[in-house]
Amino acid sequence: ETGVTQSPTHLIKTRGQQVTLRCSSQSGHNTVSWYQQALGQGPQFIFQYYREEENGRGNFPPRFSGLQFPNYSSELNVNALELDDSALYLCASSQGQADYGYTFGSGTRLTVV
Amino acid sequence: AQSVTQLDSQVPVFEEAPVELRCNYSSSVSVYLFWYVQYPNQGLQLLLKYLSGSTLVESINGFEAEFNKSQTSFHLRKPSVHISDTAEYFCAVIMNSGYSTLTFGKGTMLLVSP
């Protein structure tokens, strides 16, 4: 059973650029959630995808967008990067919307300069 | 909406001493409760969770937490800590009705020294 894999592990971008982060779900999981963890803070919910549809969103602007593919892998896209977007981005997968067995990846550390 | 409060940002403790990490939550509906651990430069690992049944839940590495509904708390305890327990600990809740997602506290850094 594979876990959740995220890529890349680290990334440096310039303000105003766009970035795409990737996540491969744990085998058998059809739900993916993305979280932003700023330095010294707890993770904040960005959005969740269930069977390729966004079914929940946190308090993040539209420049944060995502996709889920038929194999349940997922992407997080952020446009017009701002300095405050610097954070650890975590992906979590689970089986179904009401399953509480979330498995987290190791995250992508994004630095915006 | 629900929220989670972890009052202690940092808890220093000596090896083999007991420790308690505090977590209080606020919610208009009943919730499920979780503790996650995060080691440096890593993602989150589930330590233990309370969904129903016995209010005392245990992890495989000696941690335990007790759900107290009247005090809206879910404190994490370990009777004797090891150096390897040094990590950030996050308490989280999720509503047990309808669609919901994990809401995390700000975390407590457990620092175990020899």
Side-chain angles (χ1 to χ4, degrees):
Chain A
E1 180 181 275
T2 60
V4 176
T5 304
Q6 292 188 242
S7 63
T9 55
H10 295 83
L11 200 55
I12 300 176
K13 288 286 190 178
T14 303
R15 189 171 49 183
Q17 285 188 313
Q18 178 266 343
V19 68
T20 297
L21 310 182
R22 295 178 174 84
C23 172
S24 294
S25 303
Q26 180 169 312
S27 177
H29 286 185
N30 58 14
T31 303
V32 173
S33 305
W34 285 91
Y35 291 81
Q36 180 196 66
Q37 185 181 12
L39 199 62
Q41 301 294 317
Q44 297 289 316
F45 173 68
I46 302 175
F47 45 58
Q48 178 173 290
Y49 279 82
Y50 173 66
R51 294 185 175 179
E52 303 178 57
E53 297 285 333
E54 183 182 299
N55 71 344
R57 189 178 184 91
N59 188 27
F60 280 81
R63 59 189 185 84
F64 285 78
S65 63
L67 284 172
Q68 187 181 30
F69 301 100
N71 66 355
Y72 302 128
S73 65
S74 177
E75 287 183 354
L76 164 65
N77 300 289
V78 187
N79 294 320
L81 284 167
E82 301 177 359
L83 297 179
D84 285 348
D85 295 333
S86 296
L88 180 67
Y89 287 85
L90 296 166
C91 170
S93 72
S94 61
Q95 175 55 41
Q97 297 182 71
D99 172 68
Y100 306 112
Y102 297 93
T103 301
F104 280 82
S106 296
T108 294
R109 173 73 64 185
L110 172 65
T111 302
V112 182
V113 298
Chain B
Q2 65 265 30
S3 65
V4 178
T5 302
Q6 293 181 251
L7 288 173
D8 304 308
S9 59
Q10 207 171 82
V11 173
V13 65
F14 289 109
E15 193 173 20
E16 298 183 6
V19 70
E20 178 181 83
L21 306 184
R22 296 180 293 168
C23 172
N24 289 89
Y25 69 91
S26 173
S27 177
S28 57
V29 300
S30 57
V31 297
Y32 297 139
L33 296 146
F34 305 80
W35 275 99
Y36 284 86
V37 59
Q38 186 175 38
Y39 297 100
N41 300 312
Q42 293 190 25
L44 300 173
Q45 298 175 29
L46 179 65
L47 193 57
L48 46 76
K49 61 183 177 183
Y50 170 77
L51 301 183
S52 63
S54 172
T55 57
L56 182 66
V57 291
E58 299 176 350
S59 72
I60 59 173
N61 58 353
F63 283 95
E64 64 178 30
E66 185 159 21
F67 170 51
N68 188 318
K69 188 176 181 179
S70 63
Q71 297 185 3
T72 60
S73 67
F74 191 55
H75 301 330
L76 182 69
R77 302 184 182 93
K78 189 170 186 180
S80 176
V81 296
H82 303 291
I83 297 286
S84 59
D85 292 324
T86 294
E88 188 92 30
Y89 292 79
F90 292 95
C91 181
V93 303
I94 191 167
M95 293 190 292
N96 72 353
S97 61
Y99 166 80
S100 186
T101 60
L102 285 167
T103 298
F104 288 89
K106 291 188 175 182
T108 298
M109 184 67 198
L110 176 63
L111 295 167
V112 183
S113 54

